[in-house]
Amino acid sequence: MVGDLTGFTFFITTMAMMAATVFFFVERNNVQGKWKLSLTVSGLITLIAAVHYYYMRDIYDTSGDSPTEIRYIDWVLTVPLMCVEFYLILAAVGKASVGILVRLIAYSVVMLVTGYIGEIMIPGGGSAHWIWFGIGCVAWLLIVYEIFAGEASKISAASASGALQSAFGALRLFVLIGWIIYPIGYILGALSGGAPEALNVAYNIADAVNKIGFGLVIYVLAYQDSHQTASA
Ligand SMILES: *C/C=C(C)/C=C/C=C(C)/C=C/C1=C(C)CCCC1(C)C
């Protein structure tokens, strides 16, 4: 059903994730060695999303249902990888502690597992539904704290690389602003009993922006840094 807006956004997001994957894997050859792992991870994020979108589009097309459960499987794989990117770019430019890596992965897993319990296992409101949501929000705020005021933020601010600082600043805005759509979706889902059309359009656009945009910011940083050093 490419003809309706929801079906169209499922289709085009699948294509965009596939194209972005090829781009990140190919462009890996045009950056210095220390950046290659970051681009590999960017490509894995969009690859995992592309495969999930392929299935989600099919579920929506054949049943009209919201494929929220598959979304969570996608998120639980890709969001920790996005958190790993913060660590990788800090490590590529200078120093980064393993504590940052462990904390960001742990917070993101807690955020998504609690969201899954609340949204998939006990949907439709009720106090337990909102308690799990609250725990998920706290975990998200801990991620925000780490990158805006915690150790990761301090290492970025102390770095001599202007390119790192501006990329780090852009990436954390994705987490603060771009990610708001997901808890809003949780609330709307409970209040509206699914609101599948609008919600899926919003999620599809948000995923494309958050995953491809996030990867592109890292690519620009890697490219700038690689070519600066090469010509210096
Ligand atoms: C590519 C997919 C992304 C960036 C998914 C991000 C998902 C979230 C930021 C989810 C957040 C949630 C909360 C903050 C509270 C609990 C419910 C969630 C899981 C929807």
Side-chain angles (χ1 to χ4, degrees), residues 34-35 85-97 155 164:
K34 63 179 181 180
W35 292 111
E85 296 274 39
F86 281 101
Y87 169 83
L88 288 178
I89 63 170
L90 293 177
V93 169
K95 56 179 181 133
S97 78
I155 292 178
L164 172 80

Side-chain angles (χ1 to χ4, degrees), residues 122-193:
I122 30 176
S127 57
H129 181 76
W130 295 113
I131 289 168
W132 288 112
F133 177 71
I135 300 171
C137 288
V138 170
W140 175 40
L141 291 176
L142 287 169
I143 300 174
V144 169
Y145 175 81
E146 176 72 41
I147 55 184
F148 278 86
E151 192 188 356
S153 140
K154 287 176 186 139
I155 292 178
S156 166
S159 155
S161 164
L164 172 80
Q165 288 181 355
S166 62
F168 193 90
L171 293 179
R172 65 186 183 186
L173 288 182
F174 281 96
V175 174
L176 181 66
I177 297 166
W179 290 15
I180 282 180
I181 188 76
Y182 303 96
I184 291 176
Y186 186 106
I187 296 170
L188 290 181
L191 299 183
S192 68

Side-chain angles (χ1 to χ4, degrees), residues 2 37 91 94 128 156:
V2 185
L37 185 55
S156 166

Side-chain angles (χ1 to χ4, degrees), residues 14-226:
T14 311
M15 296 307 296
M17 295 288 187
M18 285 165 57
T21 303
V22 174
F23 178 83
F24 292 134
F25 286 152
V26 170
E27 286 304 311
R28 205 179 162 277
N29 297 315
N30 295 324
V31 299
Q32 280 179 356
K34 63 179 181 180
W35 292 111
K36 289 190 192 298
L37 185 55
S38 301
L39 288 203
T40 301
V41 174
S42 294
L44 287 177
I45 291 167
T46 52
L47 175 65
I48 293 168
V51 175
H52 283 80
Y53 264 89
Y54 181 83
Y55 284 101
M56 292 198 289
R57 190 190 66 81
D58 191 52
I59 291 174
Y60 174 78
D61 276 2
T62 50
S63 69
D65 291 340
S66 282
T68 310
E69 189 161 5
I70 313 252
R71 283 196 192 282
Y72 268 94
I73 300 172
D74 174 332
W75 296 348
V76 96
L77 297 169
T78 53
V79 175
L81 286 174
M82 293 173 83
C83 290
V84 167
E85 296 274 39
F86 281 101
Y87 169 83
L88 288 178
I89 63 170
L90 293 177
V93 169
K95 56 179 181 133
S97 78
V98 178
I100 295 174
L101 180 67
V102 172
R103 281 194 299 276
L104 287 175
I105 292 176
Y107 298 153
S108 61
V109 170
V110 169
M111 175 180 86
L112 294 162
V113 169
T114 54
Y116 181 87
I117 296 172
E119 190 161 6
I120 306 293
M121 294 168 65
I122 30 176
S127 57
H129 181 76
W130 295 113
I131 289 168
W132 288 112
F133 177 71
I135 300 171
C137 288
V138 170
W140 175 40
L141 291 176
L142 287 169
I143 300 174
V144 169
Y145 175 81
E146 176 72 41
I147 55 184
F148 278 86
E151 192 188 356
S153 140
K154 287 176 186 139
I155 292 178
S156 166
S159 155
S161 164
L164 172 80
Q165 288 181 355
S166 62
F168 193 90
L171 293 179
R172 65 186 183 186
L173 288 182
F174 281 96
V175 174
L176 181 66
I177 297 166
W179 290 15
I180 282 180
I181 188 76
Y182 303 96
I184 291 176
Y186 186 106
I187 296 170
L188 290 181
L191 299 183
S192 68
E197 300 291 318
L199 200 57
N200 279 300
V201 172
Y203 276 150
N204 294 350
I205 295 170
D207 276 358
V209 171
N210 282 313
K211 292 189 167 66
I212 300 171
F214 198 90
L216 284 175
V217 168
I218 292 165
Y219 165 71
V220 170
L221 165 64
Y223 189 89
Q224 281 179 347
D225 184 78
S226 300

